[in-house]
Amino acid sequence: MTAVLGSVAILLASVAALTGIGLLLRGRARRGERLIDLGRWMAVAVFAAVTLAVVALEVALVGFDFSVRYVAMNVNSGTPLLFRIIGLWGALEGSILLWAWVLAGATALVAVRYRGRYPETVPLALALLLGIAAFFLLLMLGPANPFVRLIPAPAEGRGLNPLLQNHPLMAIHPPFLYLGYVGFSVPYAFAMAALLSRTLRDEWMMVTRRWTVAAWSFLGAGVVLGAWWSYEVLGWGGYWAWDPVENAAIMPWLVATAFLHSVMVQERRQLLRLWNHTLIILAFLLTIFGTFLTRSGILGSVHDFTQSSIGPLFLGFIAIILGFSLFALIARRGEVRDSGTLPAVISRESLFLLNNVVLLSIAATIFIGTTFPLIAEAAAGVKLSVGPPFFNQLTVPLALALLVLMATATLLPWGPPPPGILRRFLAPVLLSALFVAVLAAAGVRRGLTLGAFGVITFTALAQLAEFHRGARALRRAGSRSYPAALLGLFRTNRRRYAGYLAHLGLALAGITASSAYKTESEHTVRRGEVFRGPGYLLRYDGATASQAPDKLVVAATVSILRGFNLAASPEPSTYARIGVLRPAAHLYPQQRRPIPTPAVRSTWRGDLYLVLLAIEKDGSAVFRVSSNPLVPWIWTGGLLMAFAGLVSIWPARRG
């Protein structure tokens, strides 16, 4: 029953999407408001039908309906409820349905929100959004059908990929990525509609600014949560391996970051019109490209868990979008000519241009490193790999240059710099130099690490200096306290100070120390023995095995002891226990090898990271213990950036 209901819902959604496209285009051509209104209702109908399909698949997943092939391949009778629910995005067909659902929701919201507004532009934008939705819906009518039936139905399912049911972050990381990916469809559709209709020459960016910033925030949060998931689940002690699918997620975020900066130049100086159209087209194309990488089965990745024949269809769709977008740009090139000039060689505007160059250079480096092995294999049959050294050597210097540009642009005003502007740089530069000197005196000797800390500190201090300058000005204008003045900045100019907050988050997320000063060691110990961890003494207290419905869990108990000198006091009883770590290994029926689940003790200085590698026959345990300096600041800074983006678009209080 659920399979029939879901299939009918997808068919109805496809018919509604294609009908809506026809109604909107015909209505706009004939200026028929009734036809356009019917087209809007078709957009709402698409969302309702896809929602029905999502509900049908969730009912099948939760209810163990193994007559549905997707359920039989991704759920078994031992799968916990949470992971049955998130099985919706656990494999190809369900993730395509999720994409279509989010896109249908965005399209319906555009149809309702902009009803009666921008009559020359919105019908075209809606038609484009429905066209994109139609592609995903037609995929589900063909090779990506989530409601294919199995006759007879098996008695038991295969179960979800163990890596996807080993941490609750999998419940929020993929939806955030999809909200980011799909969110860029709306500004893309409006940009193309503005070109084709010769309307909203500059206004389309303001109309869609909240959509763009929301998509940027969700995608950034999704990237950070994905890195956190990798760190917490895979047991390797890292968070970013330059995996192709990781790269596919970060590339549109980088391009969107460039876009968010360059649109400010267009708003103020009537510059970069063609450039900004190109950036939003590129950001949208990269989201489709990322989906292609993840779901086509053409690469080997911990994130790529599907083999599929939809790759050529995605490549064809990307080619159509690229061709259509280039045609629109060329046909309307006269509409995107600039009418302003840069006010000065050294100004915030010029630094924003350099900022764009650096961001796109990073994105291009990642794109080349990601696609070159695929192209080489397709063209010559040669298997190549591009590893972290390639990416690190090229992107780290560019990232440091980006931070310097960001801090400098923050301290510079719009337009020509006024006399005495260098005084703004004095305190951040001197304090950064002092901090680097303190680090050097404390024993930090690596030049790149010292330089990176200097740049990160300069960037953070530049943002704090602007907050201080703004709060001081508000205090002079009134009698409010300093904390109240800081909060008042977000009421007087929310967009500006949310931007500074995002810059501060990027500075906090500097990862140099966690890479440069990571230490790692392995220990084989018997029960009751003490071994040395980085900055701690650890005692292995034993292991237990327990059978969960979906897996066998072998967990070790390791006490953290206060004390650092084994030689001076070798007796474990002389140390007080200050904490407990419980690393585990999970063995799933569908997985031959156990999956380690590390235990992490986090402080502001960094993480103690403990992995259970094995339990030997004699009862001894093998552990890998790592010290990962400053890693919690990565999650803090990354999520602060996403939060700042949402703050910047939060509706202002009226009255």
Side-chain angles (χ1 to χ4, degrees):
M1 180 63 183
T2 54
V4 174
L5 183 62
S7 297
V8 170
I10 294 298
L11 179 61
L12 290 175
S14 303
V15 172
L18 295 173
T19 304
I21 294 170
L23 289 169
L24 288 163
L25 295 179
R26 190 174 181 84
R28 185 184 179 279
R30 294 188 171 190
R31 298 188 180 278
E33 292 185 9
R34 185 170 177 272
L35 290 176
I36 291 175
D37 277 341
L38 286 174
R40 294 178 191 276
W41 281 112
M42 287 297 104
V44 176
V46 170
F47 176 60
V50 178
T51 300
L52 181 60
V54 169
V55 171
L57 188 56
E58 285 290 12
V59 168
L61 287 164
V62 172
F64 303 110
D65 185 355
F66 297 131
S67 68
V68 179
R69 181 179 181 276
Y70 184 84
V71 177
M73 296 298 290
N74 295 286
V75 163
N76 60 31
S77 56
T79 305
L81 176 61
L82 172 64
F83 295 104
R84 297 203 302 275
I85 293 172
I86 69 175
L88 176 65
W89 50 85
L92 168 69
E93 295 86 354
S95 63
I96 296 294
L97 178 58
L98 176 62
W99 180 292
W101 186 41
V102 175
L103 179 57
T107 305
L109 188 56
V110 169
V112 172
R113 180 177 176 80
Y114 298 104
R115 183 179 183 183
R117 300 169 62 188
Y118 317 115
E120 295 295 321
T121 308
V122 171
L124 286 175
L126 274 176
L128 285 167
L129 289 169
L130 287 175
I132 299 166
F135 168 75
F136 287 93
L137 291 168
L138 293 174
L139 280 180
M140 288 186 285
L141 290 177
N145 188 346
F147 296 104
V148 173
R149 299 195 65 185
L150 291 177
I151 301 175
E156 181 60 275
R158 187 180 68 175
L160 194 64
N161 184 327
L163 288 175
L164 304 184
Q165 55 178 320
N166 210 31
H167 199 285
L169 273 176
M170 194 47 61
I172 54 176
H173 155 55
F176 271 55
L177 281 181
Y178 277 80
L179 286 169
Y181 276 158
V182 177
F184 288 117
S185 303
V186 175
Y188 167 77
F190 270 87
M192 291 297 98
L195 277 179
L196 296 174
S197 65
R198 290 190 168 105
T199 59
L200 300 182
R201 185 184 186 191
D202 292 323
E203 292 85 349
W204 70 268
M205 298 177 306
M206 280 74 87
V207 171
T208 60
R209 191 180 75 84
R210 284 182 173 172
W211 289 95
T212 309
V213 175
W216 176 86
S217 299
F218 281 120
L219 183 56
V223 170
V224 172
L225 292 172
W228 201 349
W229 169 84
S230 177
Y231 182 74
E232 293 276 352
V233 168
L234 299 183
W236 61 301
Y239 40 83
W240 194 265
W242 296 108
D243 178 276
V245 181
E246 293 172 343
N247 297 346
I250 197 67
M251 285 188 290
W253 185 86
L254 290 167
V255 174
T257 303
F259 173 76
L260 290 174
H261 285 81
S262 61
V263 293
M264 290 188 276
V265 179
Q266 181 174 340
E267 290 173 14
R268 287 179 173 268
R269 304 298 177 190
Q270 290 72 56
L271 293 169
L272 306 180
R273 290 191 176 99
L274 176 62
W275 180 249
N276 286 326
H277 274 86
T278 304
L279 287 178
I280 201 62
I281 292 168
L282 184 58
F284 175 67
L285 279 171
L286 286 171
T287 64
I288 303 297
F289 177 73
T291 308
F292 160 72
L293 279 184
T294 312
R295 303 304 173 196
S296 63
I298 66 167
L299 51 83
S301 162
V302 67
H303 301 79
D304 182 55
F305 41 84
T306 183
Q307 294 295 321
S308 163
S309 61
I310 68 171
L313 297 176
F314 262 102
L315 286 178
F317 185 54
I318 292 171
I320 291 171
I321 294 172
L322 181 59
F324 167 74
S325 303
L326 289 177
F327 171 79
L329 279 178
I330 294 171
R332 296 289 190 264
R333 58 187 180 277
E335 305 296 321
V336 291
R337 289 177 181 168
D338 294 336
S339 56
T341 58
L342 281 176
V345 175
I346 300 177
S347 62
R348 183 175 288 189
E349 292 90 337
S350 62
L351 289 185
F352 274 19
L353 290 177
L354 290 175
N355 160 292
N356 270 223
V357 171
V358 174
L359 283 166
L360 291 185
S361 297
I362 297 173
T365 299
I366 297 172
F367 183 82
I368 292 169
T370 302
T371 58
F372 182 73
L374 305 178
I375 296 171
E377 184 174 357
V382 178
K383 287 188 175 292
L384 300 174
S385 62
V386 177
F390 168 82
F391 293 104
N392 291 335
Q393 289 175 11
L394 293 177
T395 60
V396 170
L398 288 170
L400 293 177
L402 179 66
L403 288 172
V404 173
L405 287 172
M406 188 173 70
T408 307
T410 297
L411 295 171
L412 285 176
W414 293 102
I421 188 63
L422 291 179
R423 286 197 295 269
R424 292 190 182 182
F425 291 80
L426 188 60
V429 169
L430 290 178
L431 289 174
S432 301
L434 178 61
F435 181 63
V436 169
V438 170
L439 289 177
V444 178
R445 293 289 181 265
R446 299 181 184 181
L448 180 60
T449 303
L450 287 172
F453 269 116
V455 169
I456 291 168
T457 305
F458 173 57
T459 303
L461 290 174
Q463 314 314 311
L464 295 175
E466 286 303 298
F467 276 109
H468 174 68
R469 186 175 294 107
R472 189 173 57 183
L474 279 185
R475 290 201 68 190
R476 289 174 179 171
S479 57
R480 64 182 71 194
S481 66
Y482 190 82
L486 284 173
L487 292 176
L489 295 175
F490 292 94
R491 288 191 291 269
T492 58
N493 197 332
R494 180 172 300 182
R495 183 180 178 185
R496 175 183 178 182
Y497 288 99
Y500 294 157
L501 193 64
H503 292 171
L504 183 61
L506 182 59
L508 292 178
I511 61 174
T512 305
S514 60
S515 301
Y517 287 94
K518 176 180 178 179
T519 61
E520 188 173 275
S521 59
E522 288 191 11
H523 305 267
T524 301
V525 291
R526 295 181 179 274
R527 182 173 179 175
E529 288 185 348
V530 175
F531 60 102
R532 186 186 299 277
Y536 298 95
L537 289 181
L538 305 173
R539 183 182 65 219
Y540 171 47
D541 293 334
T544 59
S546 59
Q547 182 66 55
D550 59 328
K551 60 192 174 185
L552 175 67
V553 180
V554 178
T557 300
V558 177
S559 295
I560 304 172
L561 307 178
R562 187 186 301 278
F564 299 90
N565 193 340
L566 279 169
S569 183
E571 189 61 41
S573 61
T574 62
Y575 296 103
R577 189 166 86 165
I578 60 172
V580 177
L581 293 173
R582 291 188 173 87
H586 295 177
L587 183 61
Y588 292 83
Q590 64 269 42
Q591 185 88 5
R592 292 184 178 181
R593 299 179 61 184
I595 297 176
T597 300
V600 183
R601 177 184 173 88
S602 294
T603 68
W604 69 269
R605 292 176 297 179
D607 286 349
L608 173 64
Y609 189 92
L610 187 64
V611 181
L612 174 64
L613 297 178
I615 299 291
E616 304 292 355
K617 293 181 179 180
D618 62 358
S620 61
V622 183
F623 296 100
R624 183 171 66 243
V625 57
S626 306
S627 171
N628 299 331
L630 301 181
V631 164
W633 292 103
I634 299 172
W635 327 133
T636 303
L639 296 178
L640 179 61
M641 292 175 67
F643 172 75
L646 296 179
V647 166
S648 74
I649 60 174
W650 196 262
R653 184 184 301 175
R654 296 181 180 180

